[in-house]
Amino acid sequence: MTAVATFAALSVPISLYGSSKFQVRKSCKARIGVFAVFGDEGGGLVEKKSQWGALFEVEDPRSKMPQCKGKFLDANQALEVARYDIQYCDWRARQDLLTIMLLHEKVVEVLNPLAREYKSIGTMKKELAELQEDLTQAHRQVHISEARVATALDKLAYMEELVNDKLLQDRSTTAETDQASPSTSAATPPANIVKRKPPRKSFNVSGPVQPYHPHLKNFWYPVAFSTDLKDDTMIPFDCFEQPWVVFRGKDGNPGCVQNTCAHRACPLDLGSVNEGRIQCPYHGWEYSTDGTCEKMPSTRLVNVKLKSLPCFEQEGMIWVWPGTDPPAPNLPSLKPPPGFQIHAEIVMELPVEHGLLLDNLLDLAHAPFTHTSTFAKGWSVPSLVKFLTPASGLQGYWDPYPIDMEFRPPCMVLSTIGISKPGKLEGQSTRECATHLHQLHVCLPSTRGKTRLLYRMSLDFAPLLKHVPFMQHLWRHFAEQVLNEDLRLVLGQQERMNNGADVWNFPVSYDKLGVRYRLWRDAVNRGEKRLPFSKST
C-alpha cells in the first residue's frame, strides 16, 4: 500500500517551507563569501573581508529547496524536505560562526594600540559596548541554530520512521479498492487531483469494560504451567467470566471442565482428584476430563455431563479453546529461543482488565519514569524513542533500547532484553549484548476486571542459578516489584476509564505496537476474516 503523508494530518512542521521569513529569489545564488549575517534571518551584513571567508564558502541551500508550500507530500518527498532543512541548519551555523570570528577581529582591532588611531577612553568604551552587544546577539543566534539543528534531526528521524512504517496511519484500503474495481475502463480522476487520506482515528477505549466479544474467544489460550499441574492436583481459573478447572485424567493428559458441580453448583476445586477424576466435596460426584459424571455415591447413576473445553499440553503449558468455532489445528509456540533455559514460571491474579495490561506491556517508553526502582534504575531519558517494525508485523525492536518485542495473538507478549547484569543496559541492540533475558507474559482475560498473568523468565547465561535453593522466590519477589510499579498506574487508568476517560486519547509514535494491538483487537470484534498484521487469514 502507498501511504500519503500530509504534514497537516501528521503535525510535522518543516521550517523551510513553512516559514514566511524565507523569501527565495531564483535569480540569485546566495553564498557566504566574506559576509556574515546579523539579526534573525539575514539582517544587516558585515561589510568586511576576512581570511576566514574561504572556510565558509558554502552555498545557501534555500535556492535549491523544492517549492512545496501548500502541497501534499508522500513520505519520501517529506524526507527530502527534511534533509534540506538539515542543510540549511548547517549553512546557518556556518554564518553564525563566521559572524563571531569577524566580531572577534573587531575587538582585537579596538584593543590593539598598534592597529588603531588614537581614541579617547569614552570612544573606546562606546565601541566596546557596541561590539559586546553584537557579540551577545551572535552568541544568541548560535544557540538558536543549535536548537534548530536538534529539532531538524528529530524531524528527520521521525520522517525516516514514517518511511519505514507506512501503516502507522489508519489502514489504507487503496489496494482492496483497486482489486474490487469491475473494469479498468472506469473513469479516473484528473492527475492534478490529490487524494486526501482520512484523518487517523483515535481509539475510544473509555467507559466501563464491556462484555468480551464472542469472536475473541476463538483462540487457543494458555491457562497454566505444566509443572504446576500434578497428577493429584487441580488448577481453578476464570476465563471470559466463566469458572473452569483443569486436572489430569487417568492417562496423564490434562482436561478442562466447568468448575461447578451439576448437582448443587458447588465449586469442584474445593474437592480432590481421585484416579483421574475430580470429586465434588459436597456429595462425592466424580467427573472425568471430558465432563462426564462417572460416579454418584448414595444414588443411582444417571446421565450427567459438565461442559468441557478442548484442552492440550504443549511446551510446558496447558492450553484451552473457550470459543464456539472449531479449534485451530495448531497451537502457537511460546518456547524460549535456542540457548535459553527457563529459570522461573510465575502465576498472578491481577485486578485489571487484560487489554490495559497488554497496553502496558507493549510500551517501553514509560520505563525510565515508572521503573526507577527496579530494572530501569539509572536509565537516561532519550530525546526520541522509536519502535521499528515491518509494515505488516506485530514484532520489532526498540530504539535506543536493546530490546526485541512481539505481540503474539491473542494475549501474549514476548521480549528479549540484552543485559550485562540485571537492571543495566549494555548496548544499542540485542545483537551487541553478550547476555540476554527472555520474557513471556500471558494475559488471560479472566473477567472484565481481572487478568490471570502467566510469566515465564529464561536466561542464556548462569545456568547454575536454576539449582540455587529458593531462587524461584527471589525471581517472584523481583517480578512483583516491577509489576507493582505498573499496577498503581494501570489501576488509576482503569478507574479513570470506568468514569468515562479515554485511555487511548492521543497515541504518539512510540505507541506503535500498542496501536497495532488495538487495531487487531477491533478487527477481531468486528468479525473480520482477514486480521491486520497477521500472516494467517
Side-chain angles (χ1 to χ4, degrees):
M1 300 181 186
T2 302
V4 179
T6 65
F7 291 106
L10 294 177
S11 298
V12 179
I14 297 296
S15 63
L16 282 179
Y17 73 86
S19 174
S20 62
K21 296 180 181 179
F22 300 143
Q23 302 295 330
V24 180
R25 297 180 181 177
K26 296 184 178 179
S27 61
C28 65
K29 290 187 177 180
R31 291 178 174 270
I32 291 179
V34 294
F35 299 102
V37 177
F38 284 107
D40 181 26
E41 295 294 342
L45 297 176
V46 178
E47 297 182 359
K48 177 178 175 63
K49 292 188 177 181
S50 167
Q51 60 178 340
W52 301 107
L55 299 177
F56 299 93
E57 192 75 13
V58 178
E59 185 176 358
D60 185 347
R62 290 177 290 180
S63 61
K64 293 185 176 181
M65 191 206 75
Q67 300 301 307
C68 305
K69 189 172 182 179
K71 297 180 180 179
F72 294 99
L73 308 178
D74 62 25
N76 289 297
Q77 291 172 328
L79 185 61
E80 186 65 19
V81 173
R83 289 197 178 101
Y84 272 104
D85 210 4
I86 292 289
Q87 292 177 19
Y88 168 75
C89 287
D90 174 71
W91 176 83
R92 180 72 252 182
R94 289 172 187 265
Q95 277 196 315
D96 296 338
L97 184 57
L98 180 58
T99 300
I100 292 176
M101 288 179 173
L102 294 176
L103 288 170
H104 174 72
E105 290 180 356
K106 275 200 167 187
V107 172
V108 172
E109 182 181 346
V110 170
L111 295 178
N112 185 0
L114 299 178
R116 62 176 174 81
E117 300 176 355
Y118 175 77
K119 297 179 182 179
S120 66
I121 298 297
T123 302
M124 290 183 61
K125 285 184 177 180
K126 182 179 179 181
E127 289 182 358
L128 286 175
E130 291 175 352
L131 287 172
Q132 180 64 38
E133 176 63 27
D134 292 340
L135 196 58
T136 301
Q137 186 175 356
H139 278 290
R140 188 183 304 117
Q141 185 62 39
V142 169
H143 292 311
I144 293 173
S145 294
E146 288 176 348
R148 283 174 177 160
V149 170
T151 301
L153 288 173
D154 284 347
K155 287 190 291 186
L156 184 61
Y158 184 67
M159 295 309 302
E160 288 175 339
E161 182 184 357
L162 291 180
V163 173
N164 178 64
D165 177 21
K166 296 180 180 179
L167 290 182
L168 182 60
Q169 302 298 305
D170 280 345
R171 300 187 309 275
S172 173
T173 58
T174 304
E176 288 81 355
T177 303
D178 292 341
Q179 293 176 1
S181 179
S183 171
T184 58
S185 62
T188 58
N192 60 349
I193 295 180
V194 179
K195 292 184 178 180
R196 187 190 296 264
K197 285 190 64 178
R200 180 173 57 185
K201 300 176 183 177
S202 62
F203 303 106
N204 184 18
V205 185
S206 61
V209 181
Q210 300 299 311
Y212 290 111
H213 199 284
H215 292 149
L216 194 59
K217 299 180 181 180
N218 291 315
F219 294 91
W220 284 108
Y221 284 87
V223 298
F225 292 112
S226 298
T227 52
D228 294 333
L229 190 62
K230 311 299 183 184
D231 289 340
D232 57 347
T233 62
M234 68 193 92
I235 299 177
F237 65 95
D238 291 336
C239 183
F240 292 107
E241 310 284 341
Q242 296 292 324
W244 304 93
V245 59
V246 292
F247 62 101
R248 295 190 182 275
K250 292 181 180 180
D251 56 3
N253 294 324
C256 179
V257 300
Q258 190 174 2
N259 191 14
T260 304
C261 182
H263 179 212
R264 301 281 293 277
C266 180
L268 293 177
D269 68 287
L270 299 178
S272 59
V273 176
N274 298 322
E275 298 179 349
R277 294 186 298 270
I278 189 169
Q279 185 184 66
C280 177
Y282 206 174
H283 296 92
W285 290 23
E286 296 187 9
Y287 302 89
S288 62
T289 53
D290 66 353
T292 301
C293 184
E294 296 184 346
K295 279 191 175 182
M296 291 182 181
S298 308
T299 187
R300 181 171 59 87
L301 182 65
V302 295
N303 186 18
V304 174
K305 188 172 184 178
L306 293 176
K307 183 178 180 180
S308 63
L309 297 178
C311 183
F312 286 95
E313 185 173 17
Q314 175 178 287
E315 298 172 352
M317 305 192 81
I318 310 298
W319 299 71
V320 302
W321 181 277
T324 55
D325 288 356
N330 299 316
L331 277 70
S333 176
L334 298 180
K335 65 180 180 181
F340 284 79
Q341 291 189 20
I342 297 173
H343 282 251
E345 293 180 334
I346 301 168
V347 180
M348 302 183 215
E349 302 288 344
L350 306 178
V352 64
E353 194 267 332
H354 96 290
L356 289 178
L357 186 59
L358 281 170
D359 290 340
N360 174 268
L361 293 172
L362 295 172
D363 167 29
L364 196 62
H366 74 280
F369 305 97
T370 304
H371 300 290
T372 54
S373 299
T374 53
F375 72 90
K377 185 177 183 179
W379 283 21
S380 60
V381 181
S383 60
L384 189 66
V385 176
K386 297 182 290 184
F387 185 78
L388 304 176
T389 177
S392 60
L394 290 166
Q395 74 288 333
Y397 65 94
W398 288 92
D399 180 13
Y401 304 124
I403 300 177
D404 301 335
M405 186 172 287
E406 175 185 359
F407 167 68
R408 190 164 298 177
C411 64
M412 289 81 79
V413 178
L414 296 93
S415 58
T416 301
I417 306 173
I419 56 175
S420 57
K421 61 181 180 179
K424 182 179 180 181
L425 292 175
E426 183 182 66
Q428 293 297 312
S429 69
T430 54
R431 293 185 300 274
E432 297 178 8
C433 302
T435 55
H436 302 84
L437 162 69
H438 180 76
Q439 297 184 112
L440 165 67
H441 292 85
V442 177
C443 301
L444 180 69
S446 299
T447 66
R448 280 176 278 178
K450 187 175 71 172
T451 299
R452 179 177 174 86
L453 176 66
L454 278 65
Y455 173 73
R456 173 186 279 172
M457 189 201 75
S458 307
L459 303 174
D460 63 356
F461 64 98
L464 294 179
L465 286 178
K466 291 185 62 175
H467 308 290
V468 175
F470 307 110
M471 199 65 196
Q472 180 84 2
H473 299 285
L474 181 61
W475 291 130
R476 185 179 183 92
H477 172 73
F478 183 74
E480 288 178 344
Q481 268 191 311
V482 174
L483 194 60
N484 285 334
E485 289 177 328
D486 284 318
L487 270 183
R488 67 186 185 91
L489 307 179
V490 179
L491 286 173
Q493 277 185 302
Q494 184 168 260
E495 179 185 358
R496 298 293 189 271
M497 181 183 72
N498 289 334
N499 291 331
D502 188 353
V503 298
W504 271 105
N505 188 49
F506 196 82
V508 294
S509 59
Y510 56 63
D511 293 321
K512 184 185 301 182
L513 196 53
V515 165
R516 291 189 175 186
Y517 158 66
R518 287 292 176 175
L519 290 173
W520 175 87
R521 182 167 168 180
D522 288 349
V524 170
N525 291 345
R526 291 192 300 269
E528 294 184 9
K529 297 298 182 182
R530 185 173 183 176
L531 298 178
F533 317 112
S534 177
K535 296 179 181 179
S536 61
T537 57

